[in-house]
Amino acid sequence: MLTITSIRNGIVIDHIRAGLGIRMFYQLGLDKAGYSVALIMNATSTRMGRKDIIKIENSVDFDITMLALIDPNVTVNIIEDEHIVRKVKPELPERVENIITCKNPRCITSVEKYIPQIFTLVNRELGQYRCRYCDEIYTVGKD
Amino acid sequence: MLKGRHLLDPTDFSPGELDEIFDFADQIIQTPDQFNHLCDPSILATLFYEPSTRTRFSFEAAMLRLGGKVIGFSEPMSSSVAKGESVADTVRTVACYADIIVMRHPKEGAPRIASQYSPVPVINAGDGGHLHPTQTLTDLLTIRSAKHQLGGLTIGCCGDLKFGRTVHSLIKAASRYPGNKFVLISPAELRVPDYVTADLASKGIAYQEIERLDEVIGNLDVLYMTRVQKERFFNEDDYVRLKDFYILNADKMRLARQDMIVMHPLPRVGEIAYDVDDDPRAYYFKQAKFGMYVRMALISKLLGAC
Ligand SMILES: [Zn+2]
């Protein structure tokens, strides 16, 4: 397996469903990061078969609730002095604005771009959100 | 309190608030002349971003019969919308001139945007395949007038139940009244979407899905017919095999109860034979009239005129 040096201080986002790592990478703005960042795709995992991992060095200041919107099953490890000091499971927020985009082509948000994209959580277990305008359902990890 | 409210979704108003509208509609039906100056000084604007002559006439006739006045456009090409004006800007401008706004729009959720920018009440007159709440109010008033109740009924919905938004809205609205049961009659490929049946199941409401109308018509208090379009079928064979199941005619009416009513949002294309029209149980043209009365009551209540 491809090896990447472990980090001293920072965050490791683990157990990302294979293929979703790149979306998180961009969502967190890591493409513009000025510090060391690694995106590992298709790593072997005993539990998941294949998974993606993101390692971020020297920065912990992220809104991790956003990660749950892409894949609610990720684990966020906070690393200090090469040890995991905290494991965090991101929780789905009740309401999200301008993160999810409505995929219904008939939705008014597809033509009137000044409108904020607003979704509210309707089913936490299934990870389902509903568009405020057209009621389209967005399922976390699937859409 | 209904004054100043918007109507975007048929369940925006509680059953109690709907009763207030229906009670007032009943008064108008009894003595229409008494209300023909009720909205005298007011102006209703009809913003129709796609043509729907029937719905627009119903709203305009309702306002005119209340003594009010009407402005608006019936297709966007003839207005500032053609120059690319946003819904938010159009609504804020029109609200300077009108006291109440009726909006029809091909995009889903457009009336909600309008309501967020409008200082006057906004009524959704249909947004894409999404909602059409005044059709639902029409349907409920029709049932209430014929049956003198909105609960304890067996309601059959027949035809294209997959794409028929009027049926989805009616089921959602009627499921708020106790004791209603639903019989969903359609070909397998045109069944109601799963979220509709999941919603009924979660509320513990009885429903049955079946392919043939003649097998269940004798159990129904209300039969709600919808169009079955040939192009919705997966193949020609299925269409030929099934289409007659969904055509109501005098023969099938003989199997129905004497007090069943037949409803249809109109226009029909052949799913109700003309030999049903003279049957006293045929309510679809009366339904159109109830549609105007319920809009009269709705406009009056939202304007605070009564
Ligand atoms: Zn939407």
Side-chain angles (χ1 to χ4, degrees), chain B residues 68-186:
Chain B
K69 292 168 186 66
V70 176
I71 56 172
F73 56 83
S74 53
E75 43 124 355
M77 285 309 136
S78 63
S79 69
S80 56
V81 174
K83 301 184 192 103
E85 189 176 52
S86 67
V87 166
D89 286 0
T90 302
V91 159
R92 279 180 288 195
T93 311
V94 171
C96 298
Y97 318 135
D99 305 289
I100 185 163
I101 292 172
V102 174
M103 178 181 283
R104 172 99 168 189
H105 203 292
K107 291 290 180 189
E108 301 175 4
R112 183 171 295 280
I113 302 293
S115 74
Q116 288 170 355
Y117 288 92
S118 172
V120 303
V122 172
I123 300 172
N124 177 3
D127 57 337
H130 186 216
L131 297 166
H132 190 5
T134 55
Q135 179 67 52
T136 309
L137 264 56
T138 300
D139 298 339
L140 293 176
L141 178 65
T142 307
I143 295 171
R144 200 181 97 135
S145 299
K147 296 292 182 184
H148 310 291
Q149 62 191 12
L150 281 168
L153 300 169
T154 301
I155 301 172
C157 301
C158 177
D160 177 355
L161 306 186
K162 185 175 182 183
F163 298 98
R165 67 175 172 192
T166 55
V167 167
H168 306 161
S169 290
L170 178 63
I171 293 171
K172 187 177 172 192
S175 68
R176 298 199 294 174
Y177 298 90
N180 285 333
K181 289 185 280 191
F182 297 91
V183 181
L184 308 171
I185 308 143
S186 72

Side-chain angles (χ1 to χ4, degrees), chain A residues 104-112 114-115 132-135, chain B residues 86-88 105-110 112-113 116-117 130-131:
Chain A
N104 175 6
R106 298 177 310 275
C107 181
I108 186 68
T109 58
S110 69
V111 285
E112 307 242 340
Y114 59 94
I115 301 161
R132 172 170 171 76
Y133 306 100
C134 74
D135 293 317
Chain B
S86 67
V87 166
H105 203 292
K107 291 290 180 189
E108 301 175 4
R112 183 171 295 280
I113 302 293
Q116 288 170 355
Y117 288 92
H130 186 216
L131 297 166

